[in-house]
Amino acid sequence: MTTTPSATSGIADDSTELLPIATGARTRAAVRTLIRPDRGRAILGLGVLVGATAVGLLVQPLLGRIVDIVADGRPADALTLPVVLLLVVAVVQGVTTTLGLTQVARLGETVLARLREQFIERALQLPADRLERAGAGDLTARVTGDVARVAEAVRSALPEMARSVLAIVLTLGAMALLDVRFLLAALLAVPVQALTARWYVTRAVTVYADQRVANGAQQQQLLETIGGAVTVRGHRLEEQHTEKSAARSRRAVELTMRSVHLVLGFYARLHIAEYIGLAAVLVTGFFLVRDGSVSIGTATAAALYFHSLFGPVNAALVLLDDAQSAAAGLARLVGVTDLRESAVRLPHQRTGSTSEAAVTVDAVSHAYGPGRTVLHEVSLTLRAGEHVALVGTSGAGKSTLARLVAGVQQPTGGTVSVAEGKTAPSVVLVTQEVHVFTGTLADDLRLARPDATDADLRTALATVHALEWAEALPEGLATVVGEGGHRLDPARAQQLALARLVLADPPVAVLDEATAEAGSAGARTLERSAEAALAGRTALVVAHRLTQAVAADRIVVLEAGRVVESGTHDELRTADGPYAALWHAWSGSRAAPHL
């Protein structure tokens, strides 16, 4: 994927290629697209806020009117009308502001939810090797820290920014209506404010973007250190990993301190602008009142108008801090949602259902980076209903080929074609790494088929020989499993995954050492469950135990990323090739099964 400095994936270290970051133009375009379905709500919210702000601008002239009444020595009852009007203005402004902010908040939450959904959808479609290159820390930082920053901005900064901008524009217009010279005096503060905003924005964009990248790198290092704690201790790498964590933490702290100094300088410049503007308005009012051009009340109203700008102007400029931080996070989210199709996992090429081949692997090669090719022009055909076992030594490329057939990764060369079936998805992958989602057992099963009835769930469990223990759980199918719930041992968790496979009912199934976690005690039971789940399907099985290969219709032997043998168990066992060597080594260490 071609990148530019402004829209590139950062490089955290020599081996990590972070996910892309969208350009400012692309981020703005994405926001417009997200808002488009709710244009009516946006217009309504903006219109109500304009009305609320306009009503609020009546306060200063009414206060000026009170000043004139007192200065002219009029009776006290002359104050009744302006005071009552002030109360009415307060009530109307409060109600309309609440309505307007409610619409803006709803719009923001809707857009944020839409962005989250797009981010998760695209992240789940990313090729596994692309995520591996980026590292879990980068994706975790985006889905947690960046989403939190954007959410905070939507809930607080966006409504406040809308109010502030409207107040600034309408207040300046009201000052012009009093006397254009008041407006000109107030505008003396604008150059300082503009220079302050420019000074801040040009520095903040880089600082906050670097800060998010540094936080992602820090999380990645912590995940690697904690997740691999046993290995780290086993190889006596504690000091090395501690230094790496400390270095990345120092970088994150350094960037945080830079942002703090940036904010302090920002506030100092804003105070200077306030003093310049207020002094100019007061001096202008003094001369205009002395010349009889305006009344004391009008000059008071002008001064109050400018003073009322302190809050909105400062809020708008201060919110640049939140806006820049949120914009950096938003660009990182859009960078994932806006990935080009070529960078996202594509569906399999589909062939006509009349073909006898369920899966065709044509000259497929795959590399995890320069010099790391693991498959070399592998060609393989799985006939409809055929069970093919992949065997080979560790590192031969078995799991990589399985993931390519399942569509989890894209080949770097060649094609994988799957016959078009009646169900979706057409291929389901079950690996030894099974996740039990938090929720009831029934909900966990329905992830594969949301419309499944309880009878369907029981049938699927019975198929994989898991119904007995499932119904023996404290609350049967309603038992909460997963994090904080009833713990399922590896064998039962794998049976749960196989039951999901039965419910999904794909024409093609790929099992990547799906029985490896059972241990020797439950191996045969889990193999029976796998056989039952694969019945009637085309299957590619990465064999953890050679008993699985014996039961397959055909065995394909991989060696150094190439197919070196293909045939039945009996054919390959007598061929005196790589499979025969594997078989003799495996069967020699245990009692060979009766065949």
Side-chain angles (χ1 to χ4, degrees):
M1 181 175 178
T2 303
T3 56
T4 63
S6 58
T8 186
S9 55
I11 303 299
D13 54 39
D14 293 339
S15 61
T16 302
E17 179 187 349
L18 301 184
L19 294 168
I21 300 174
T23 63
R26 181 55 210 145
T27 301
R28 291 189 292 273
V31 170
R32 288 194 296 270
T33 301
L34 290 168
I35 292 176
R36 190 170 295 124
D38 295 284
R39 284 175 296 183
R41 177 173 289 170
I43 294 172
L44 175 62
L46 181 61
V48 174
L49 283 179
V50 169
T53 304
V55 169
L57 293 177
L58 296 175
V59 171
Q60 288 82 356
L62 288 172
L63 290 175
R65 180 62 177 165
I66 291 174
V67 169
D68 283 338
I69 290 173
V70 173
D72 294 343
R74 298 182 188 180
D77 57 1
L79 297 173
T80 303
L81 180 60
V83 170
V84 170
L85 290 177
L86 281 173
L87 293 175
V88 172
V89 167
V91 172
V92 173
Q93 185 185 26
V95 172
T96 52
T97 299
T98 300
L99 292 175
L101 291 178
T102 299
Q103 292 299 319
V104 172
R106 286 179 177 174
L107 173 66
E109 292 294 342
T110 302
V111 170
L112 179 61
R114 196 172 290 136
L115 176 63
R116 279 198 189 107
E117 291 170 0
Q118 290 182 6
F119 178 86
I120 295 299
E121 179 183 3
R122 190 51 60 94
L124 290 174
Q125 292 176 340
L126 287 172
D129 52 341
R130 182 67 183 88
L131 287 177
E132 289 168 359
R133 291 200 305 273
D138 185 32
L139 190 61
T140 300
R142 296 187 192 221
V143 81
T144 54
D146 291 325
V147 168
R149 291 292 180 93
V150 175
E152 183 180 357
V154 165
R155 290 169 186 148
S156 57
L158 178 62
E160 187 62 31
M161 178 68 82
R163 287 183 59 194
S164 298
V165 171
L166 287 173
I168 292 168
V169 173
L170 294 180
T171 300
L172 291 176
M175 292 184 73
L177 290 177
L178 293 178
D179 192 297
V180 71
R181 285 168 287 189
F182 285 125
L183 173 61
L184 295 175
L187 291 179
L188 290 177
V190 172
V192 179
Q193 292 167 337
L195 289 173
T196 298
R198 182 179 178 182
W199 172 84
Y200 176 76
V201 169
T202 54
R203 289 163 176 77
V205 170
T206 302
V207 170
Y208 284 118
D210 290 345
Q211 189 177 11
R212 298 306 305 152
V213 171
N215 288 340
Q218 182 188 34
Q219 287 192 34
Q220 175 66 24
Q221 183 61 47
L222 292 174
L223 287 171
E224 290 178 351
T225 300
I226 296 172
V230 174
T231 302
V232 170
R233 287 195 297 268
H235 290 273
R236 300 294 188 268
L237 297 174
E238 295 94 337
E239 185 176 344
Q240 180 181 347
H241 275 257
T242 299
E243 179 54 35
K244 285 184 177 180
S245 298
R248 294 191 176 184
S249 296
R250 283 194 297 270
R251 176 60 176 165
V253 170
E254 176 189 341
L255 289 169
T256 299
M257 293 306 300
R258 283 178 57 187
S259 67
V260 169
H261 289 132
L262 193 64
V263 170
L264 292 176
F266 179 67
Y267 282 124
R269 288 165 171 78
L270 287 184
H271 292 324
I272 293 173
E274 290 175 359
Y275 294 144
I276 292 174
L278 184 58
V281 170
L282 291 174
V283 170
T284 300
F286 170 79
F287 285 110
L288 291 179
V289 170
R290 189 187 66 177
D291 295 340
S293 300
V294 298
S295 67
I296 296 177
T298 300
T300 301
L304 290 174
Y305 269 138
F306 187 81
H307 188 272
S308 71
L309 284 176
F310 283 11
V313 169
N314 288 349
L317 294 178
V318 167
L319 285 175
L320 286 174
D321 180 60
D322 293 332
Q324 292 303 317
S325 180
L330 183 61
R332 285 162 56 82
L333 297 177
V334 174
V336 174
T337 64
D338 200 42
L339 278 172
R340 296 187 309 176
E341 290 300 319
S342 61
V344 179
R345 177 170 61 88
L346 300 174
H348 292 101
Q349 294 189 19
R350 294 191 175 272
T351 61
S353 57
T354 58
S355 172
E356 293 184 359
V359 177
T360 302
V361 178
D362 185 18
V364 161
S365 298
H366 189 75
Y368 289 101
R372 298 176 59 195
T373 302
V374 293
L375 291 177
H376 305 270
E377 296 187 351
V378 172
S379 293
L380 176 66
T381 299
L382 277 66
R383 296 184 295 274
E386 184 182 26
H387 290 186
V388 175
L390 280 178
V391 301
T393 57
S394 178
K398 304 185 299 297
S399 293
T400 298
L401 181 57
R403 293 164 82 175
L404 295 178
V405 170
V408 175
Q409 292 179 202
Q410 296 180 76
T412 52
T415 59
V416 177
S417 302
V418 178
E420 190 170 356
K422 297 180 181 179
T423 62
S426 58
V427 184
V428 168
L429 170 69
V430 179
T431 72
Q432 62 178 313
E433 298 173 357
V434 177
H435 183 74
V436 178
F437 293 87
T438 301
T440 66
L441 181 63
D443 289 341
D444 209 308
L445 288 166
R446 285 194 175 97
L447 291 171
R449 203 175 94 204
D451 62 347
T453 64
D454 285 352
D456 294 329
L457 303 184
R458 288 188 171 86
T459 299
L461 289 168
T463 300
V464 298
H465 312 292
L467 183 58
E468 183 177 350
W469 66 256
E471 292 188 327
L473 292 174
E475 297 179 56
L477 295 180
T479 301
V480 175
V481 295
E483 188 72 26
H486 186 88
R487 182 181 177 276
L488 299 182
D489 61 40
R492 289 184 174 182
Q494 197 63 259
Q495 284 182 309
L496 178 60
L498 292 171
R500 289 196 205 114
L501 171 64
V502 173
L503 286 167
D505 196 24
V508 179
V510 178
L511 269 58
D512 184 5
E513 298 189 347
T515 63
E517 293 295 323
S520 57
R524 185 53 192 156
T525 299
L526 200 50
E527 286 177 9
R528 287 176 56 241
S529 298
E531 290 170 7
L534 296 179
R537 311 181 202 284
T538 304
L540 180 66
V541 179
V542 176
H544 175 68
R545 295 177 175 85
L546 289 188
T547 49
Q548 296 172 287
V550 173
D553 299 319
R554 182 159 52 101
I555 299 168
V556 173
V557 183
L558 285 181
E559 199 171 87
R562 292 181 171 84
V563 174
V564 294
E565 278 189 311
S566 178
T568 65
H569 168 72
D570 290 334
E571 291 171 346
L572 297 181
R573 189 181 58 173
T574 59
D576 197 26
Y579 179 78
L582 288 172
W583 174 257
H584 292 312
W586 183 83
S587 60
S589 63
R590 67 198 71 210
H594 296 291
L595 303 174

